[in-house]
């Protein structure tokens, strides 16, 4: 069982954080101190007063042992409960521990009101707490997953906890977990069983199949499933109705019914198509995504947009249809060609420009730095997307900010006959749209250069290729979905970390040289 333990000094907020995180992740919550009190029928101050600390610690170990067998939970631990090696070993084996660090002033502020419940620091609270902290300092510092909680709101802490864990739960459109973890693909079978998902059929493309199909098939077989596999040709050029048709036919051939589960294993193209086919087959079968490109991990696999391209334009047909689970395994990126990695970084930069200047800064340090800190940047980019789609899942407003770079980008992608990758086109689009923002005085002069420099450092293209006819790009933009009454709504950068939605009537303004 993969529990989440919340640990830290007295007053660090373990119960509040644990409870709120459990609510957010839709998991049961256990407060270990409460469990001890319920088991023994005594309050903790009473136990410590009437018995002794060793007796209490004994009860604590027993309580921990019992709760470990519960289903996956968020467990708030007592402030010294992992001092015993035996307890720590149990917790580390059965889950992950997040340590809440705080300055002594923060702890004292929080403790003021409920000192009476903390017998170990009663009396001169400040002196006793500071003694306790110095005794335990090395212990608390020895936990690798941690959050500094001073001056943060509970929602900031909860968001950070999800980021640290690589574990998110979305509930704006559908309810599903996004789990980012090494080798999680190998647990697909177990997770399907846990969620009660049945009769899996894997949709993948020929490249991904070569490297990763065996792993998923084995995982599903080990859990007693008899998985089917449909492989389609790779690439955006195949994101068509013909391919969707072949998927529907495959579903029928393999006897899929409404209780079955489609597993999309691949990049954004596979996710968009398998998701769309699942959303329409028999009016909807459940689907699970295993993103295998950087781009799909940070963007395409989250948020429930599915669809395919028409010759008239990209993603013109589609549905909002959330997956039931997203399993992102960073290990699979090891087989991803470098150009695809670079393409994915464009969406990471996009996330930074939209709302995370620190992420943008990380990207500004170049390709090697970004790749060297991949896990961190993926987690940060996922949070940007998650926050926006949770607030506006069906794109009635701010979700359109995620289209930064995409109005021009989609047009470039299409005009190039999909020779230019999605992420590359988004990079070109971001620079063109930042220039437009400067021209419209939405952004200060120089913003487009800042964005361009960062993209160049990641080996991304920044200029519309000379051989692409401008009028074709303008025509493609005029067919964009983000259009009402002939006016296209752009997501334009105002500064790094802020984007605004701006209606643009004269599309040829986008292509002006100056
Ligand atoms: N639904 C959404 O919200 C959303 C968001 C962003 C992008 N998208 C869509 O996503 C698509 C782009 O996605 P993409 O960049 O992932 O493209 P993709 O799915 O075409 O994958 C890129 C290439 O990498 C190969 N590949 C994938 N994983 C691999 C791995 N682990 N090892 C080796 N090769 C691997 C694929 O076979 C393909 O050739 C576009 O169609 C775009 O419109 C959708
Ligand atoms: Zn995109």
């Amino acid at each position: 069982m993969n529990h989440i333990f919340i640990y830290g000094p007295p007053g660090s907020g373990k119960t509040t954080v644990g409870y709120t995180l459990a609510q957010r992740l839709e998991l049961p919550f256990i407060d270990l101190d409460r469990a001890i009190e319920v088991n023994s029928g005594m309050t903790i101050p009473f136990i410590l007063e009437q018995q002794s600390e060793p007796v209490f610690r004994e009860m604590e170990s027993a309580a921990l042992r019992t709760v470990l067998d519960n289903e996956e939970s968020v467990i708030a631990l007592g402030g010294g409960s992992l001092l015993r090696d035996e307890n720590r070993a149990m917790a580390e084996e059965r889950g992950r521990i997040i340590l809440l660090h705080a300055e002594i002033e923060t702890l004292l502020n929080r403790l003021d009101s409920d000192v009476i419940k903390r017998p170990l620091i009663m009396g001169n609270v400040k002196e006793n707490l500071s003694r306790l902290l110095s005794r335990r300092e090395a212990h608390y510092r020895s936990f690798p997953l941690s959050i500094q909680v001073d001056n943060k709101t509970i929602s900031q802490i909860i968001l950070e906890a999800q980021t640290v864990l690589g574990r998110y739960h979305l509930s704006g459109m559908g309810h599903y977990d996004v789990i980012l973890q090494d080798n999680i693909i190998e647990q697909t079978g177990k997770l399907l069983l846990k969620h009660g998902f049945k009769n899996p059929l894997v949709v993948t493309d020929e490249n991904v199949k070569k490297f990763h199909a065996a792993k998923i098939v084995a995982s599903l077989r080990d859990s007693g499933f008899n998985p089917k596999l449909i492989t389609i040709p790779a690439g955006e050029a195949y994101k068509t109705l013909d391919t969707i048709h072949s998927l529907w036919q495959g579903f029928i051939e393999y006897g899929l019914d409404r209780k079955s589960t489609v597993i999309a294993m691949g990049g954004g193209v596979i996710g968009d198509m398998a998701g769309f086919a699942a959303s329409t087959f028999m009016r909807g079968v459940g689907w699970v995504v295993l993103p295998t490109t950087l781009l799909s991990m940070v963007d395409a696999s989250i948020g429930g947009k599915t669809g395919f391209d028409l010759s008239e334009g990209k993603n013109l047909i589609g549905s909002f249809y959330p997956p039931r689970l997203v399993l992102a395994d960073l290990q699979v990126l090891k087989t991803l060609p470098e150009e695809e990695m670079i393409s994915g970084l464009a969406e990471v930069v996009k996330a930074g420009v939209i709302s995370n200047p620190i992420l943008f800064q990380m990207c500004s340090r170049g390709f090697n730095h970004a790749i060297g800190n991949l896990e961190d940047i993926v987690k940060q980019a996922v949070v940007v997307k998650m926050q926006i789609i949770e607030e506006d899942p069906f794109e009635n407003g701010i979700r359109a900010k995620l289209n930064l770079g995409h109005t021009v980008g989609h047009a470039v992608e299409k005009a190039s006959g999909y020779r230019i990758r999605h992420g590359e086109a988004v990079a070109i689009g971001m620079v063109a749209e930042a220039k437009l923002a400067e021209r419209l005085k939405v952004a200060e002069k120089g913003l487009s250069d800042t964005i361009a420099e960062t993209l160049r450092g990641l080996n991304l293209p920044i200029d519309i290729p000379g051989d692409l006819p401008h009028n074709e790009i303008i025509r493609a933009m005029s067919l964009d979905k983000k259009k009402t009454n002939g006016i296209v709504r752009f997501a334009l950068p105002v500064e790094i970390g802020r984007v605004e939605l701006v209606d643009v009537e004269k599309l040829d303004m986008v292509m002006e040289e100056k």
Side-chain angles (χ1 to χ4, degrees):
M1 213 57 74
N2 205 10
H3 297 299
I4 297 165
F5 298 98
I6 310 293
Y7 189 47
S12 55
K14 299 178 291 290
T15 306
T16 313
V17 170
Y19 174 77
T20 318
L21 182 65
Q23 280 204 317
R24 176 73 217 150
L25 297 178
E26 294 182 7
L27 289 175
F29 172 65
I30 297 168
D31 182 354
L32 197 69
D33 280 353
R34 277 293 297 147
I36 297 168
E37 294 186 330
V38 170
N39 290 350
S40 65
M42 293 180 275
T43 65
I44 289 176
F46 186 82
I47 301 168
L48 283 163
E49 234 169 67
Q50 300 296 312
Q51 321 257 342
S52 61
E53 198 182 331
V55 172
F56 169 66
R57 296 288 174 212
E58 205 46 64
M59 293 167 116
E60 205 171 36
S61 297
L64 182 60
R65 236 172 277 127
T66 324
V67 300
L68 286 179
D69 289 331
N70 284 27
E71 60 180 305
E72 181 180 23
S73 307
V74 178
I75 303 171
L77 297 166
S81 54
L82 300 186
L83 287 163
R84 277 190 163 193
D85 292 344
E86 171 201 345
N87 292 3
R88 180 168 182 165
M90 276 195 282
E92 281 175 341
E93 196 196 320
R94 303 292 288 274
R96 287 181 295 166
I97 304 157
I98 299 187
L99 203 292
L100 306 181
H101 288 297
E103 298 294 335
I104 187 159
E105 290 72 29
T106 309
L107 300 175
L108 283 170
N109 273 341
R110 296 235 182 99
L111 283 168
D112 239 7
S113 51
D114 63 345
V115 154
I116 197 69
K117 291 188 237 137
R118 321 268 178 165
L120 292 179
I121 49 170
M122 247 159 63
N124 185 337
V125 178
K126 186 166 182 184
E127 209 175 290
N128 293 345
L129 179 63
S130 120
R131 218 174 296 129
L132 178 141
L133 288 180
S134 47
R135 248 190 351 256
R136 292 185 187 167
E137 158 126 38
H139 171 65
Y140 287 143
R141 290 278 160 208
S142 69
F143 292 87
L145 302 184
S146 67
I147 299 176
Q148 194 73 37
V149 298
D150 308 276
N151 304 320
K152 288 186 186 149
T153 63
I154 185 74
S155 12
Q156 284 171 319
I157 297 169
I158 297 307
L159 208 56
E160 235 177 277
Q162 293 183 81
T163 313
V164 162
L165 291 165
R167 166 84 194 252
Y168 317 84
H169 185 81
L170 280 87
S171 53
M173 181 205 309
H175 288 249
Y176 59 99
D177 289 335
V178 175
I179 305 177
L180 207 136
Q181 200 177 302
D182 280 348
N183 303 315
I184 188 83
I185 278 198
E186 282 149 45
Q187 293 184 43
T188 310
K190 281 195 199 134
L191 288 166
L192 255 59
L193 283 179
K194 178 181 155 198
H195 289 277
F197 302 159
K198 301 203 166 60
N199 192 25
L201 177 147
V202 180
V203 176
T204 192
D205 74 27
E206 54 204 3
N207 296 332
V208 179
K209 179 185 175 188
K210 252 190 320 225
F211 298 113
H212 305 293
K215 262 182 295 188
I216 176 136
V217 168
S219 160
L220 293 168
R221 288 223 171 101
D222 287 350
S223 294
F225 294 109
N226 175 23
K228 285 92 183 174
L229 185 77
I230 298 180
T231 310
I232 55 184
E236 184 75 33
Y238 292 93
K239 198 172 142 183
T240 60
L241 180 58
D242 281 347
T243 312
I244 299 282
H245 189 212
S246 75
L247 286 178
W248 286 325
Q249 284 179 318
F251 292 178
I252 291 176
E253 218 167 281
Y254 283 124
L256 243 63
D257 59 31
R258 296 177 80 169
K259 297 244 164 67
S260 304
T261 308
V262 171
I263 300 181
M265 181 167 69
V269 168
I270 289 296
D272 280 7
M273 280 198 293
F276 182 80
S279 79
T280 41
F281 186 74
M282 296 190 172
R283 298 207 172 82
V285 292
W287 71 299
V288 168
V289 200
L290 274 49
T292 64
T293 61
L294 174 59
L295 189 141
S296 56
M297 280 184 197
V298 298
D299 197 344
S301 67
I302 321 161
K305 276 191 186 179
T306 77
F308 62 92
D309 306 334
L310 292 185
S311 55
E312 288 80 1
K314 251 183 80 76
N315 298 337
L316 283 182
I317 311 296
S319 59
F320 284 117
Y321 193 65
R324 296 201 173 156
L325 184 64
V326 180
L327 302 177
D329 183 347
L330 286 172
Q331 288 299 319
V332 303
L333 298 182
K334 289 199 168 133
T335 61
L336 190 67
E338 188 168 293
E339 320 82 75
E340 297 298 343
M341 206 67 158
I342 292 170
S343 172
L345 286 171
E347 301 274 17
V348 176
V349 173
K350 180 191 82 174
V353 176
I354 292 174
S355 73
N356 187 337
I358 294 171
L359 179 58
F360 183 83
Q361 285 308 328
M362 285 181 77
C363 294
S364 301
R365 296 174 67 180
F367 179 75
N368 289 338
H369 184 80
I371 297 306
N373 292 279
L374 199 58
E375 182 173 341
D376 197 17
I377 65 165
V378 170
K379 286 175 167 177
Q380 304 278 348
V382 167
V383 168
V384 168
K385 174 132 192 196
M386 184 180 83
Q387 279 186 294
I388 293 177
I389 61 176
E390 284 292 88
E391 205 179 318
D392 176 26
F394 294 99
E395 201 165 318
N396 294 316
I398 65 150
R399 183 170 176 161
K401 290 185 179 179
L402 292 167
N403 294 329
L404 170 67
H406 282 64
T407 307
V408 175
H410 280 167
V412 166
E413 216 180 335
K414 179 174 174 286
S416 79
Y418 300 111
R419 166 174 58 87
I420 296 177
R421 290 182 178 79
H422 178 72
E424 295 166 348
V426 169
I428 294 169
M430 266 191 285
V431 176
E433 292 176 12
K435 284 184 186 159
L436 175 65
E438 288 177 17
R439 252 176 255 135
L440 293 171
K441 309 230 178 310
V442 169
E444 294 278 325
K445 275 249 163 296
L447 182 65
S448 61
D449 289 341
T450 307
I451 296 174
E453 207 173 305
T454 295
L455 295 168
R456 212 184 294 119
L458 298 169
N459 306 327
L460 278 157
I462 51 173
D463 296 314
I464 298 176
D467 60 339
L468 296 188
H470 285 189
N471 56 353
E472 222 167 276
I473 293 176
I474 291 171
R475 191 147 40 103
M477 279 193 294
S478 71
L479 266 171
D480 199 280
K481 299 190 293 309
K482 281 103 46 189
K483 175 187 70 172
T484 354
N485 299 331
I487 298 173
V488 176
R489 175 158 292 186
F490 280 77
L492 294 184
V494 178
E495 60 187 359
I496 300 302
R498 193 151 70 92
V499 158
E500 260 171 31
L501 302 175
V502 179
D503 291 336
V504 178
E505 207 167 344
K506 293 204 197 105
L507 288 176
D508 34 0
M509 261 190 95
V510 180
M511 306 302 290
E512 278 171 24
E513 294 303 323
K514 283 268 165 262

